[in-house]
Amino acid sequence: MSKNHFLHISDYTGDELWEILKLAKQIKAKFRARENYNHFNNKSLAMIFAKPSARTRVSFETGFEWMGGHALFLGPNDIGIGKREAIKDISRVFSRYNDMIMARLFDHKHIIELAEHSTIPVINGLTDYNHPCQIMTDIFTVWEHLNDIENIKIVYMGDGNNIVHSWLHLAMRFPLHFVCCCPKGYEPDSETVEKARAAEISKIEISHNPTEAVKDADMIYTDVWASMGQKEEAEARERIFKPFQVNQDLMNSTGKKTLFMHCLPAERDREVTDEVMESDYSIAFDQAENRLHVQNAIMIKLSKR
Ligand code: CP
Ligand code: NVA
């Protein structure tokens, strides 16, 4: 089942992931030159959003239309997936209209169910559990900036959330040194951490000490302290997460040249200072651009399976 969909990075082999990254590099140049690329002529992509989005919506829609297809935006108030209608019924109906589905949902079980009943590829555009398109993009961006990704040290500061789970899935396939530095009680899912360690490909650490964690980091990465669906906890989390803010002092304490990454949207002066966001070592907007190119590559690969 998983081979026809893009639900988790770890559903793919390292070689398959590299193929996606290399294709993304090729088509990035084509998109930038606005070359015609009619891979999806007369095809349609249904984009289901149960949560808000800027990058995922605009990059998928722009990318699919650039490749000659038509993308349909279905927002939180449109189809009522799982509320107005059963998820498996949406899968079966859209499989008859469309050629691909991209969905951003709350419960991870729901995207699995959507995929199980779909005869067309389903792409995970974020769930409460993971965000595979983002982290494929992130490693592509790291590759562009460092020309290499082997054994680089990536320190994620903040909540052990969906972003972290996808980094852990990537660490099962590519050799990395990945550190999740979070407050106690906000660690990533322990089963996912165990699986990533058991793969014995990467070095995985969980830390609660920001200045120690960032030593020798090639990248410092952060994300919002309260994810979509947790915004009512934002105030309480702010006090707990404050010591984990990425600011200039933290960037200065790595002992080497370190790049800053953020999946966006950023809440400036919470998880990251405005100064770090605006600095020339921030590659957050390269990441945002690359969502488009990497997702285009993912869609092309899925269409050929
Ligand atoms: N990074 C990301 O997925 O952004 P959006 O939530 O705006 O889509
Ligand atoms: N962890 C964030 C990521 C947003 C792209 C969220 O789920 O809201």
Side-chain angles (χ1 to χ4, degrees):
M1 186 273 280
S2 57
K3 285 295 178 189
N4 299 322
H5 304 295
F6 194 77
L7 304 182
H8 317 92
I9 292 175
S10 50
D11 294 336
Y12 288 81
T13 65
D15 285 348
E16 288 169 328
L17 297 173
W18 263 118
E19 280 174 22
I20 292 171
L21 299 182
K22 286 175 187 163
L23 180 60
K25 190 174 178 183
Q26 281 171 24
I27 55 177
K28 177 172 181 171
K30 291 186 192 296
F31 179 88
R32 284 193 152 190
R34 293 299 194 273
E35 279 180 33
N36 285 334
Y37 196 83
N38 288 327
H39 187 83
F40 287 110
N41 243 349
N42 290 328
K43 302 272 195 273
S44 63
L45 168 73
M47 306 190 299
I48 304 171
F49 284 92
K51 295 176 174 179
S53 169
R55 278 144 292 276
T56 306
R57 189 239 164 122
V58 177
S59 57
F60 267 103
E61 185 164 333
T62 307
F64 201 76
E65 300 225 2
W66 172 62
M67 295 189 288
H70 173 62
L72 297 93
F73 171 73
L74 301 156
N77 298 322
D78 290 324
I79 57 171
I81 188 166
K83 294 191 185 107
R84 180 170 179 264
E85 191 164 0
I87 293 166
K88 60 187 176 187
D89 290 354
I90 293 284
S91 299
R92 290 179 288 204
V93 172
F94 286 16
S95 293
R96 295 188 183 217
Y97 296 142
N98 305 118
D99 301 282
M100 213 171 268
I101 299 173
M102 190 282 300
R104 166 168 288 192
L105 305 177
F106 284 89
D107 191 333
H108 193 66
K109 288 197 293 292
H110 291 168
I111 198 135
I112 305 275
E113 188 180 346
L114 188 71
E116 266 170 2
H117 296 275
S118 169
T119 57
I120 58 174
V122 173
I123 299 173
N124 176 352
L126 179 147
T127 66
D128 289 346
Y129 175 64
N130 69 343
H131 196 2
C133 294
Q134 179 68 54
I135 277 55
M136 280 300 285
T137 300
D138 297 337
I139 200 65
F140 178 82
T141 311
V142 171
W143 182 40
E144 277 188 331
H145 278 270
L146 300 184
N147 296 315
D148 194 11
I149 55 173
E150 292 246 325
N151 300 313
I152 50 160
K153 182 172 178 183
I154 297 172
V155 181
Y156 173 95
M157 300 290 306
D159 185 26
N161 62 16
N162 42 12
I163 294 291
V164 177
H165 297 146
S166 282
W167 271 108
L168 291 169
H169 289 160
L170 185 79
M172 295 177 200
R173 297 291 176 263
F174 288 170
L176 307 170
H177 180 181
F178 180 74
V179 185
C180 173
C181 182
C182 56
K184 286 197 172 123
Y186 293 87
E187 294 86 358
D189 171 57
S190 56
E191 203 181 305
T192 309
V193 174
E194 281 322 305
K195 274 191 188 159
R197 285 186 172 142
E200 293 186 352
I201 304 253
S202 294
K203 183 173 173 186
I204 311 286
E205 291 178 293
I206 307 293
S207 162
H208 303 297
N209 183 330
T211 38
E212 258 178 33
V214 300
K215 286 271 171 304
D216 296 323
D218 296 295
M219 303 280 165
I220 294 180
Y221 193 125
T222 192
D223 181 19
V224 290
W225 292 335
S227 285
M228 291 179 276
Q230 301 172 329
K231 295 299 179 191
E232 72 290 347
E233 292 174 36
E235 211 180 298
R237 282 178 175 240
E238 190 145 351
R239 284 188 296 277
I240 298 166
F241 281 83
K242 189 77 184 165
F244 296 81
Q245 182 189 65
V246 180
N247 51 37
Q248 197 54 54
D249 285 347
L250 192 72
M251 292 303 303
N252 289 344
S253 59
T254 63
K256 68 188 285 190
K257 180 171 173 266
T258 305
L259 297 174
F260 170 73
M261 302 183 81
H262 196 310
C263 54
L264 304 179
E267 296 186 9
R268 286 164 191 252
D269 295 327
R270 285 205 173 100
E271 75 273 7
V272 57
T273 58
D274 186 66
E275 184 182 16
V276 170
M277 272 297 290
E278 295 299 329
S279 65
D280 55 10
Y281 48 81
S282 167
I283 58 170
F285 297 103
D286 294 337
Q287 288 172 262
E289 175 188 342
N290 286 333
R291 287 292 301 278
L292 183 128
H293 311 303
V294 172
Q295 289 161 188
N296 285 351
I298 290 169
M299 291 191 283
I300 292 166
K301 285 283 177 200
L302 287 174
S303 73
K304 290 181 173 168
R305 277 175 177 273

